[in-house]
Amino acid sequence: MILVKIGGGESIDIPAIVRDLAKVTAPFLVVHGANALRDDLAQRLGIEVKTLTSLSGVSSVESTPELIDLMMMTYSGLKNKRIVELFQQNGVNAVGLTGIDGGLITGERNSGVKTRIGAKTVLVRDLSGKPRIVNVDLLTLLLSNGYRPIITVPILDAERVAVNTENDDVVALIHSALPAETIVHFIEAPGFMEDPSDSSSLIQRMTKSELESRLEIASGRIKRKLMAIVKLFEHGAPRVIIADGRVERPLERALAGEGTVIGASNE
Amino acid sequence: MILVKIGGGESIDIPAIVRDLAKVTAPFLVVHGANALRDDLAQRLGIEVKTLTSLSGVSSVESTPELIDLMMMTYSGLKNKRIVELFQQNGVNAVGLTGIDGGLITGERNSGVKTRIGAKTVLVRDLSGKPRIVNVDLLTLLLSNGYRPIITVPILDAERVAVNTENDDVVALIHSALPAETIVHFIEAPGFMEDPSDSSSLIQRMTKSELESRLEIASGRIKRKLMAIVKLFEHGAPRVIIADGRVERPLERALAGEGTVIGASNE
């Protein structure tokens, strides 16, 4: 199986990814974001997308009820359905699902972010959580009948409330239950780079232990993303590719080894 | 099986309908609208929802690409997912689907509406169509595994393009493939009334042939809705109830005979 994560950036070429996936004979699953679309809609509606900054300096979006509404409109609605439509046009019987459909993904509500408001430290608890349980039966039911699940947020918390979560963690959870041979993360960069501003610093090959060393010195959002990738190696020995989602034939190139290829060991 | 259509009006009490459906032991399917939400979002975004008026005086929304985007945000996104969330909170394993997911509903693109623009008669062809084929396998797969499909627009046309359609026609198509014993249409009125402005003119019982006589004298949108209801009697001998979606225990009341009950014959 191939597990594909498509980042929610504006410049990702989704039609190109879909065309490539339509040629894949192995079963596959897609998890996608839509942050650019969400922020665009928020701006058009005059809604401020607030961020919470923890005491340790990590920023995340504050998932208010209004933000969950926005995510349902953009991630679950417009973005998910346009991707499903593209797959249908390319002969793939895609089914769009959020984490709440069929109880697909249940999570644990975050306990809150300690943040500084003026001189005070306050705990802000929003509608976000960590994905913990995936309804594998639903995924297997669909996959074994020829459907291709196209998955996005929100997910359910323990009280069955729709909450936001990190798509990287959703990918890790799905892989833990339904291990994939290959996991491709499409981002708006050539891959994982030593210096994000210098594309010649692309790291082409990395072992799991090299990734773990990098994790130790990373911080903030990058650390969270790396942790989700390290988790992938707890199940099977997948090939993980961080690939450019902005190029022609993005999946074909990624599978041919372009981008950053992370393996369980140096082979 | 029970087939429930929930109109997209603002005053329909969806939580009350969901609570009632959670008590139903028979399998059920829901088809829902979201026109009030769509129009509200259009207004907030400063988008004009245009209507096309045919030469015979029937008005319909002009389904431009921008309107399909709006429908994906509201029907497929916010409304569908909030309904699924409510079902999940009430212990029902609902799965939200549009007509494009899993190729659920394929339709025939409308040939266009002849409309008058100034002194000229022009044919305007928009992104709308009539639903013709339903993927019964997908519905059966989900229903037989304990899932409850919550269905909304868009659907696919023959070229796999997302198009708008009438939910009443979707209900009729689903019933033709998967006949329901009971079909409930929740609307923002006590039922079918002789005089829409006079609630005492509610027609409590109607036979299929009485309905057909009314069809002959009806026009416009009402005629289209009645035609979709008449079609329901081509398959099986369902009990069709046009019920008030704004009251307490709306389904319980409808099943007890409140509203307009239409039967194949006078029994």
Side-chain angles (χ1 to χ4, degrees):
Chain A
M1 200 181 78
I2 302 179
L3 187 44
V4 175
K5 190 210 144 185
I6 306 178
E10 203 168 6
S11 59
I12 305 264
D13 190 347
I14 291 180
I17 296 172
V18 169
R19 280 193 299 272
D20 276 1
L21 273 168
K23 293 177 213 151
V24 166
T25 49
F28 66 83
L29 272 169
V30 173
V31 176
H32 71 84
N35 54 292
L37 193 62
R38 176 198 65 202
D39 292 347
D40 176 61
L41 183 64
Q43 208 202 347
R44 288 172 68 194
L45 291 171
I47 295 170
E48 189 196 348
V49 176
K50 289 180 199 155
T51 51
L52 287 172
T53 304
S54 72
L55 296 182
S56 60
V58 183
S59 288
S60 57
V61 163
E62 184 178 348
S63 300
T64 59
E66 197 175 35
L67 189 94
I68 301 293
D69 278 354
L70 273 178
M71 295 185 82
M72 285 179 170
M73 287 193 258
T74 50
Y75 287 69
S76 326
L78 184 53
K79 187 87 168 202
N80 187 266
K81 298 316 162 198
R82 287 295 186 199
I83 295 177
V84 169
E85 182 190 21
L86 276 172
F87 273 113
Q88 290 286 342
Q89 288 168 358
N90 282 273
V92 176
N93 209 352
V95 176
L97 293 170
T98 67
I100 76 174
D101 293 295
L104 183 62
I105 298 164
T106 313
E108 192 181 331
R109 182 86 166 272
N110 289 332
S111 54
V113 175
K114 274 191 189 139
T115 187
R116 204 165 276 277
I117 296 181
K120 278 187 189 163
T121 296
V122 290
L123 183 75
V124 180
R125 197 161 185 236
D126 68 355
L127 294 165
S128 65
K130 299 271 175 299
R132 297 292 189 216
I133 304 161
V134 53
N135 180 351
V136 189
D137 290 348
L138 178 56
L139 293 182
T140 309
L141 190 70
L142 291 171
L143 285 167
S144 63
N145 282 278
Y147 298 103
R148 298 291 172 258
I150 313 300
I151 299 166
T152 194
V153 290
I155 64 167
L156 291 170
D157 75 1
E159 278 75 44
R160 319 304 271 171
V161 171
V163 297
N164 189 9
T165 197
E166 297 284 339
N167 270 328
D168 291 314
D169 294 330
V170 170
V171 169
L173 176 69
I174 291 173
H175 172 71
S176 75
L178 214 62
E181 287 85 51
T182 305
I183 299 151
V184 184
H185 280 250
F186 284 113
I187 63 170
E188 293 180 291
F192 190 76
M193 294 180 290
E194 291 281 3
D195 172 5
S197 65
D198 174 13
S199 67
S200 75
S201 71
L202 171 73
I203 301 158
Q204 294 185 295
R205 297 290 173 275
M206 215 193 275
T207 61
K208 182 202 158 203
S209 46
E210 281 165 2
L211 182 66
E212 283 167 333
S213 318
R214 284 178 188 277
L215 182 60
E216 276 168 37
I217 53 167
S219 64
R221 274 191 73 79
I222 290 288
K223 191 185 182 96
R224 261 203 321 236
K225 281 180 170 289
L226 291 181
M227 275 173 69
I229 292 174
V230 166
K231 275 197 99 175
L232 297 171
F233 292 96
E234 291 174 11
H235 303 271
R239 185 168 60 138
V240 179
I241 308 162
I242 316 295
D244 201 328
R246 306 164 303 175
V247 298
E248 280 177 36
R249 298 171 289 104
L251 183 69
E252 202 182 303
R253 289 180 184 209
L255 295 180
E258 278 191 34
T260 302
V261 182
I262 311 167
S265 60
N266 260 317
E267 277 160 68
Chain B
M1 202 180 76
I2 302 180
L3 187 43
V4 175
K5 192 210 143 186
I6 306 178
E10 204 168 11
S11 59
I12 304 265
D13 190 347
I14 291 180
I17 296 171
V18 168
R19 280 193 301 273
D20 275 2
L21 273 168
K23 293 178 213 149
V24 166
T25 50
F28 65 83
L29 273 170
V30 172
V31 175
H32 70 83
N35 54 292
L37 193 62
R38 176 199 64 203
D39 293 346
D40 177 59
L41 182 64
Q43 208 202 346
R44 289 171 68 194
L45 291 171
I47 294 170
E48 188 197 349
V49 176
K50 290 179 199 153
T51 51
L52 288 172
T53 305
S54 72
L55 296 182
S56 59
V58 182
S59 289
S60 57
V61 164
E62 184 179 348
S63 300
T64 59
E66 197 175 35
L67 189 96
I68 301 293
D69 277 354
L70 273 177
M71 295 186 81
M72 285 179 171
M73 287 194 257
T74 50
Y75 287 69
S76 325
L78 184 53
K79 188 87 168 203
N80 187 267
K81 298 315 161 196
R82 286 296 186 199
I83 295 177
V84 168
E85 183 189 20
L86 276 171
F87 274 113
Q88 290 286 343
Q89 289 169 358
N90 282 272
V92 176
N93 209 354
V95 175
L97 293 170
T98 67
I100 76 174
D101 292 295
L104 183 62
I105 297 163
T106 312
E108 191 181 332
R109 184 86 167 270
N110 290 332
S111 54
V113 175
K114 276 194 189 136
T115 186
R116 204 166 276 277
I117 296 181
K120 281 187 187 159
T121 296
V122 290
L123 183 75
V124 180
R125 196 164 186 233
D126 68 355
L127 293 165
S128 66
K130 300 270 175 300
R132 298 290 187 217
I133 304 162
V134 55
N135 179 351
V136 189
D137 290 347
L138 178 56
L139 293 182
T140 309
L141 190 71
L142 291 171
L143 285 166
S144 64
N145 282 277
Y147 298 102
R148 297 291 172 257
I150 313 300
I151 299 164
T152 194
V153 289
I155 64 168
L156 291 170
D157 75 1
E159 278 76 42
R160 320 304 271 169
V161 171
V163 297
N164 189 10
T165 196
E166 297 284 337
N167 271 328
D168 291 315
D169 294 330
V170 169
V171 168
L173 175 69
I174 291 174
H175 172 70
S176 75
L178 213 63
E181 288 84 53
T182 305
I183 298 151
V184 185
H185 280 248
F186 284 113
I187 63 170
E188 293 180 291
F192 190 78
M193 294 180 292
E194 290 282 3
D195 172 3
S197 65
D198 174 14
S199 65
S200 75
S201 71
L202 172 73
I203 301 159
Q204 296 186 294
R205 297 289 173 274
M206 215 192 276
T207 61
K208 182 201 156 201
S209 46
E210 281 164 2
L211 181 67
E212 283 166 335
S213 321
R214 284 179 187 277
L215 183 61
E216 277 168 36
I217 54 168
S219 64
R221 274 191 73 78
I222 288 290
K223 190 184 182 94
R224 259 201 324 236
K225 281 181 169 289
L226 291 181
M227 274 172 70
I229 292 173
V230 166
K231 276 198 98 174
L232 297 172
F233 292 96
E234 290 174 12
H235 304 272
R239 184 169 61 137
V240 179
I241 309 163
I242 317 293
D244 201 328
R246 306 165 302 175
V247 298
E248 280 177 37
R249 297 172 288 103
L251 183 69
E252 201 182 304
R253 288 182 184 205
L255 295 179
E258 278 190 33
T260 302
V261 182
I262 311 166
S265 59
N266 261 318
E267 279 159 66

